[in-house]
Amino acid sequence: MTSTSTAQAGHAWEELVTTALLGTDRRTPPVSASGREAPVALLDAAAVETVRRRAGLRPVRAAAGPQPAAPDGRPALPPAAARRLATLLTDRPGTGGGRRGAAPDLMELLPQWLALANAHGYAAPPETLPALLDAARGRTDLRTAALTFAGTRALWLARLNTDWRFALRAAPGGGSALPGADEPERVRRLWQEGLFAERVALLTTLRAQDAPAARELLVSTWSTERAEDRLMFLDSLRTGLEAADEPFLEGALSDRSRNVRSTAAELLSALPTSALAGRMARRATACVAVDHTGDTPTIVVEAPHECDPGMERDGVQPKAPAGRGERSWWLGQLVEAAPLDAWSARLGGRSPEEVVALPVADDWQAELHGAWCRAAVRQRDPNWSRALLGAPVTPEAGGPGAVSLAERAKLLATLDAGERAEWVAGFIGTHGLSEAFQLLGVCDVPWAPSLGRAVVDALDIARDAGSYPWSFSGVMGLAERCLDPDEAARLEPLTAATEEPEDAAPGAGGYWAEAFQRLATTLRLRATMRAELAPPGVVGAS
């Protein structure tokens, strides 16, 4: 077909389309018929022209196919573990309510299976990648572990399927390897030209490798960044926070964004030797003293009467939330940001335990102790955390300083794993499980033997007392995931149904027996999973 004939064909088609849109009574059709025959003749001509146009299309060069996915050099899963993964991925949570039965919840075991597989460095079987990506799309708590296990092949698939594009957003650099500190030119180019998520990932990665280089990179474009971006970039300094960050953070106290100023002040207060920490110490200690005039030394408080510009620049929020007094609001912020070491010198050389034990006059104790709790968490100070938690067997349950379960959990997180488990075990042994769920969430998995025994014993006591078994379903679910699998044998006596107390809920005995059966079965399955994933020659690896 020549170019002239092609142009003529195109003109004829446009004429037919225009006439069809306007109607044959308003525009003379390019056909020989007229009157009532014109519309039929127009459609016939359009049909012929359609065939002509299709037949006249020239073949085009086929698009290049996708490049093959890069090979995954990690070792393959043992066959039994591969079969187990397929089973876990095909299980779906039930949509109805009612009793769970004694069968393990396989979907709740998938996170642990992935963690073990990643710890051994296995590669995902290619045939499981679509199911892995679907599972990660539906459950954000699985994404990091699932994408780590799936590897680069999953990212290759994600580029071909829009349903899996989340994997590209979740992977640093969209699945491309991020440059390291030894590649300054690539670092500079990605920082200047990359997407926001790529830049955040780059800064975080570089911060872990070379903190000064990451800080210099941030300084190089700081003044041109958007406020919300500056806030996210500033948050990356939490990793490896050091004294050398102080000049940059001190400058950020004058940022035009209130959120940036507040974050910079929080970071500086976590550096006990910073100038801001010193300023906050002077302000806070000026508000608190020990009164020796009575029979017992007592802490007295004189809260600030104003929030001056210096306080505001150092991160103190002047406007109190609804229901809070301004003076107590300002005091709490000052105490929270002051170095905890300042209080021993201010309060007569007393230890944290002695300071916390002092009575506080005029109902200031809750505010003062609550601020010390937040300071202990921010400064990761285990000595103050112990003092504020107190002994787990005390009537106050959380000690004299902890004012909520959430704060107790945060204080516990500053202790090492062994001490944390022992404290929670003591708490459960004294106070039972009714308030322990949040505290159990900060304990390392699998639970230490003493903690596991405390939980199982408390569940057994609750059953004997005729308690509603469904009231403890959350703790039972945690036990299924967190108890050491080696504890399964100890549970066997608890799987039998027992006589129900007269005041027990109807059917409670059957529910309890079923729950303990499920717990024991789940632990045995976790032990089997652990053995299946163990490399050849390693028995019972975890």
Side-chain angles (χ1 to χ4, degrees), residues 309-405:
M311 290 167 58
E312 194 168 348
R313 182 182 181 274
D314 284 345
V316 177
Q317 300 295 325
K319 185 174 177 58
R324 288 288 300 275
E326 282 186 332
R327 295 182 65 197
S328 65
W329 171 244
W330 298 331
L331 174 73
Q333 293 179 80
L334 294 180
V335 173
E336 179 181 352
L340 288 163
D341 289 345
W343 296 107
S344 178
R346 174 60 174 167
L347 303 177
R350 290 177 170 86
S351 67
E353 288 78 7
E354 292 169 333
V355 169
V356 170
L358 287 173
V360 183
D362 301 327
D363 297 324
W364 281 106
Q365 177 168 322
E367 184 65 53
L368 187 59
H369 285 191
W372 278 334
C373 282
R374 296 190 296 274
V377 172
R378 181 183 295 188
Q379 297 172 39
R380 309 294 299 176
D381 191 312
N383 292 324
W384 273 87
S385 292
R386 292 187 194 99
L388 292 160
L389 281 166
V393 297
T394 56
E396 294 88 352
V403 295
S404 70
L405 279 172

Side-chain angles (χ1 to χ4, degrees), residues 19 161 325 363 370 382 440 451 458:
T19 303
N161 187 336
D363 297 324
L440 287 168
L451 178 57

Side-chain angles (χ1 to χ4, degrees), residues 14 106-107 213 218 234 247 262 310 315 366 447 450 483 512 531:
E14 291 176 0
L106 299 186
M107 282 299 289
L218 185 55
L234 194 63
S262 177
W447 287 336
S450 60
L483 265 178
W512 276 110

Side-chain angles (χ1 to χ4, degrees), residues 10-295:
H11 177 73
W13 177 256
E14 291 176 0
E15 184 67 20
L16 287 169
V17 171
T18 302
T19 303
L21 289 172
L22 294 176
T24 55
D25 56 341
R26 296 178 60 189
R27 185 182 181 94
T28 303
V31 294
S32 56
S34 60
R36 297 181 64 179
E37 300 297 325
V40 177
L42 178 68
L43 292 176
D44 288 342
V48 172
E49 189 63 30
T50 299
V51 174
R52 182 182 293 118
R53 285 165 58 85
R54 290 177 178 174
L57 287 176
R58 293 183 176 183
V60 297
R61 188 180 299 277
Q67 292 294 318
D72 194 329
R74 296 175 295 176
L77 276 175
R83 291 192 293 271
R84 180 73 59 193
L85 173 61
T87 302
L88 295 176
L89 288 172
T90 54
D91 186 70
R92 290 291 179 269
T95 56
R99 297 171 73 151
R100 287 179 53 193
D105 187 343
L106 299 186
M107 282 299 289
E108 289 305 315
L109 293 179
L110 183 57
Q112 287 196 9
W113 189 97
L114 289 169
L116 283 171
N118 286 331
H120 290 305
Y122 289 123
E127 65 273 13
T128 65
L129 294 176
L132 273 169
L133 286 165
D134 284 340
R137 181 181 61 168
R139 286 181 58 177
T140 55
D141 62 308
L142 285 177
R143 284 189 180 176
T144 299
L147 293 178
T148 298
F149 179 61
T152 56
R153 289 178 172 178
L155 301 177
W156 182 88
L157 284 174
R159 295 186 181 95
L160 304 176
N161 187 336
T162 56
D163 288 343
W164 298 331
R165 290 293 172 87
F166 72 89
L168 300 178
R169 295 191 296 271
S176 303
L178 290 169
D182 57 343
E183 301 175 280
E185 182 54 33
R186 282 191 64 203
V187 167
R188 185 198 63 79
R189 186 166 62 251
L190 183 58
W191 183 251
Q192 295 288 345
E193 303 171 4
L195 300 174
F196 175 68
E198 293 174 325
R199 300 177 73 210
V200 170
L202 173 66
L203 188 64
T204 303
T205 301
L206 192 62
R207 176 74 177 178
Q209 297 174 356
D210 187 341
R215 188 170 54 248
E216 290 172 11
L217 194 67
L218 185 55
V219 170
S220 68
T221 59
W222 180 256
S223 61
T224 61
E225 304 288 357
R226 299 183 306 166
E228 55 267 35
D229 294 352
R230 293 198 304 276
L231 184 61
M232 289 291 292
F233 292 145
L234 194 63
D235 206 53
S236 70
L237 298 185
R238 295 183 190 277
T239 302
L241 185 66
E242 57 185 7
D245 295 321
E246 182 179 357
F248 171 71
L249 293 172
E250 187 72 27
L253 292 176
S254 301
D255 195 273
R256 54 188 180 275
S257 165
R258 185 184 69 180
N259 289 333
V260 171
R261 295 195 303 269
S262 177
T263 301
E266 179 189 342
L267 292 171
L268 282 168
S269 68
L271 292 171
T273 60
S274 68
L276 178 138
R279 295 193 294 270
M280 288 299 199
R282 288 190 292 274
R283 293 171 180 136
T285 55
C287 298
V288 180
V290 176
D291 181 6
H292 293 279
T293 59
D295 295 335

